[in-house]
Amino acid sequence: MSEKGETCRHSKTEKIQMKKDKLKKEPTMQFLLEVVEILTNYVKKTFDRSTKVLDFHHPHQLLEGMEGFNLELSEQPESLEQILVDCRDTLKYGVRTGHPRFFNQLSTGLDIVGLAGEWLTSTANTNMFTYEIAPVFVLMEQLTLKKMREIVGWPDGEGDGIFSPGGAISNMYSVMIARYKFFPEVKTKGMTAAPRLILFTSEHSHYSIKKASAALGLGTENLILLKTDERGRVIPADLEAKVIEAKQKGSVPLFVNATAGTTVYGAFDPINEIADICEKYNIWLHVDGAWGGGLLMSRKHRHKLSGVERANSVTWNPHKMMGVPLQCSAILVRERGLLQGCNSMCAGYLFQPDKQYDVTYDTGDKAIQCGRHVDIFKFWLMWKAKGTVGFEQHIDKCLDLSAYLYNKIKNREGYEMVFDGEPQHTNVCFWYFPPSLRSIPNGEESRERLHKVAPKIKAMMMESGTTMVGYQPQGEKVNFFRMVISNPAATMSDIDFLIEEIERLGQDL
Amino acid sequence: MSEKGETCRHSKTEKIQMKKDKLKKEPTMQFLLEVVEILTNYVKKTFDRSTKVLDFHHPHQLLEGMEGFNLELSEQPESLEQILVDCRDTLKYGVRTGHPRFFNQLSTGLDIVGLAGEWLTSTANTNMFTYEIAPVFVLMEQLTLKKMREIVGWPDGEGDGIFSPGGAISNMYSVMIARYKFFPEVKTKGMTAAPRLILFTSEHSHYSIKKASAALGLGTENLILLKTDERGRVIPADLEAKVIEAKQKGSVPLFVNATAGTTVYGAFDPINEIADICEKYNIWLHVDGAWGGGLLMSRKHRHKLSGVERANSVTWNPHKMMGVPLQCSAILVRERGLLQGCNSMCAGYLFQPDKQYDVTYDTGDKAIQCGRHVDIFKFWLMWKAKGTVGFEQHIDKCLDLSAYLYNKIKNREGYEMVFDGEPQHTNVCFWYFPPSLRSIPNGEESRERLHKVAPKIKAMMMESGTTMVGYQPQGEKVNFFRMVISNPAATMSDIDFLIEEIERLGQDL
């Protein structure tokens, strides 16, 4: 027995050595499976509330190197064993964005089917520009975009669209297409071929509209910011007044962006009233539903985007409210042909007309990109796995949780809501007043001190690693917390935990 | 024994039922591991030359549904079992871009470490815009960009840069930054604040420069195409003549793009001579090294980019010649501050100045995107695993293989090279004349028939699924094959196979 045992089994040291030897060789399936083990352990821990959301270090600390984790690149290869350690350390010093208590961004959570979809996408490692090399993905994109257009409410899902690398680029597309629709000669002659073009968007809208106006040569001064009500929604009368003013100055109002779910307040601009004005003055209406588009999947909440079917284009990021892994953003266009007309350059080496299949399926010439990452598969796969009803349940649940948070703190001592009334989206914006601030009368001193509260609490949260939530100022309002919920793993107990944590960390400030 | 056996073991039917039951439930680690099994089987087959490169179907066939593979999305969820089938089918009807006989694109191959890196990236599921939520990735990007700038040859790797969603967007950045450098007021006032700006690029350059000129409001007519020599390289004298002409017309020459590795011929424009002209006339010099940038890693081949250190900006796509999974493209900028100046909008809700860490590490305001996919990690991990020397070996090997192909066919019966002399990059461009065409004298009939040869052979290749190689016309030249080699799995035997296959499929045309 003893002899047999010795020949069959290896000592622990021997096993480690064998593992080391194996890993010195070419990376193989074995190596990949070792990485998978690291990743599945990470995923399990992500969902475990006793795990920290992050293990915070300052840039200089990580740059100096943490116990064997050296970011520097070198001439000679590292062993695969060290590569595995590097993978572990990369995750260790990162942030668990799927953790049930990570509330810092609009994109949170870690959907297992979506993750599997993304792993398959990386394995397929192809490019969306032609049907030739991405037949299945190109068709999935086409069908999914049609489905999204149906949900927007365009007849028979007609129109066009494309997945782009994020909401900012989707919004940029919308401005480009609007310009092409009204002034197609800009494509060949440049902006000097057009009159002075004016864009309109709310003070509360996403900064990508401003980035687009700069990039596309319109100029940020030709982007007019619209006033909002106390809830952050555009005041339509202000839009009309500014349209008239622009026309009187000899400019051409080109484009209005209505936000469906603003970044900070989660406000929905009144699309129907804005659409009336756009129709009256013949202006392109874009709806930026990067954040709020997901609510279209919910019978209970989709009324907040009422009128979206009147838009000429819509941005909708499934990687936000629908829990799809990053990146997944669609720009939808009501009129067919504009995307192609605006962007096509007919590169002969990529889009040969004499291929054996129907080349209208090639998508590359519609894009401002050439190569384009496959963003569709994970979304398609999640839709298959959840069904439309699954997305609806997820969205309704997140909105219920935010209502729970709102009701919990609206009359709680030490809290003040940034705006009155139940939030339209999952954004709950509030100030926390530490006990020492509660007795100070409103005034400059109080404001100055309150402005520092959220950053201080946030810093402590990050250092203790227990939870993460965003904060920012807005206009005249000093720093406040912006809570958002898009994580399917979050529950009421996590909301309770956040509030306890704010109070624990903030009580002595 | 029999009783024991019955309680311990389950019949095959029972086992299948148990598996089904398990998969009806919530997706778990078990589901993820089942997907991993599908993926690792796929990877193994990808490297197996007896496997087809693709199983071609027309769009209408896939849309009609293939034996249980239904692309349509529905209201209700599918079982996880069906989801696994969907994953298998998605791969089955796709294209194996990592197959040693896939030569169709500039991006080929499937690096196991890169793949592992991408799986980790999807699992971390975070966003590059702030250090706060991507501390490790942000630092990796910073260090890697610095290393790339050192390799370009900028002193101490000084400068700036960012990873973008592909070479087209990187090239678009270069035009934006050039415009900002010389006419910063365009950011606020639009293109009307600038004189007529002219861009220059070669006839053989990538169409993304043209897309950028349209998108950014410069207009494609203000992009001047430069003549090339018979090898597809810019003729510097033509550049200077056209610069002078533009100035005489009162326009302002703003930007010259020199291509390092053109898409079709793999030509390297003479950067030093172009740089002389740019310096003389104070014009921004961009080097589009999306395809050829990788050669900088090779001591043997980097001389082809001689002068690149004089460029103001450089596009370099590790996802092409360096075998990094899609997407991975960098725009490098010599002067620090321009990227930030050009794109920053200082969104208060994202980039709070009062964070507890050094916020200069936040990268979001440099980008035209808001959210930005983590493209760095797979590249960083591959660099760790291969070392600089590993990339060099890969590049040298691919160039050796293309020299092998060139030498094999340059005097072979039935072949004609599109341009004379050994290719500069791995692009080998050639016509194949089926026997029936060899006796026909040069002329219109011969040209017309030759034009149809490559598409026909390509269609047959795809239908038999044995290999894939690109073709296109170029200027007056009728359709020819463009062979490119970037796949580390390719060997001389695969080159031999391609030639045999062209001859097998083409002999009766």
Side-chain angles (χ1 to χ4, degrees), chain A residues 154 170-179 181-182 197-203 205-206 208-210 212-213 218 222-228 233-244 246-247 252-260 268-289 307-308 310-315 331-332 334:
Chain A
W154 293 333
S170 291
N171 284 341
M172 180 187 277
Y173 267 115
S174 72
V175 179
M176 286 175 65
I177 300 165
R179 182 175 65 182
K181 169 72 180 172
F182 291 105
L197 304 177
I198 308 291
L199 315 175
F200 302 86
T201 194
S202 98
E203 297 164 349
S205 70
H206 191 260
S208 54
I209 303 290
K210 200 169 168 189
S213 67
L218 292 114
N222 296 312
L223 172 68
I224 307 287
L225 295 185
L226 304 173
K227 281 190 198 146
T228 60
R233 296 170 298 206
V234 157
I235 299 169
D238 190 56
L239 168 62
E240 184 157 18
K242 283 173 175 160
V243 165
I244 292 168
K247 287 169 77 80
V252 174
L254 174 75
F255 171 100
V256 173
N257 172 57
T259 307
F268 287 79
D269 288 338
I271 303 177
N272 267 318
E273 290 165 79
I274 294 171
D276 289 341
I277 297 167
C278 288
E279 280 169 18
K280 184 170 169 189
Y281 297 96
N282 194 27
I283 306 174
W284 184 277
L285 172 58
H286 175 67
V287 171
D288 177 3
V308 65
R310 298 170 67 187
N312 299 95
S313 55
V314 176
T315 292
I331 170 73
L332 306 171
R334 194 169 61 189

Side-chain angles (χ1 to χ4, degrees), chain A residues 57 70-72 78 104 131-132 165 179 188 191 211 215 221 349 354 367 369 380 384 388 458 471 479, chain B residues 57 70-72 75 78 104 131-132 165 179 188 211 215 217 221 354 367 369 380 384 458 471 479:
Chain A
H57 291 85
N70 174 8
L71 295 173
E72 289 293 340
E78 276 184 0
N104 207 63
Y131 177 85
E132 183 172 324
R179 182 175 65 182
T188 49
M191 282 298 289
K211 287 215 176 192
E221 286 178 5
Y349 58 83
D354 47 9
Q369 300 179 267
W380 179 89
K384 280 279 190 187
T388 310
K458 170 76 177 274
Y471 73 85
N479 278 323
Chain B
H57 291 83
N70 175 8
L71 295 173
E72 290 293 340
E75 284 294 304
E78 277 184 0
N104 207 64
Y131 177 86
E132 182 171 324
R179 181 175 67 182
T188 48
K211 287 215 175 192
E221 286 178 6
D354 47 10
Q369 300 178 265
W380 179 90
K384 281 279 190 187
K458 171 75 177 274
Y471 74 85
N479 277 323

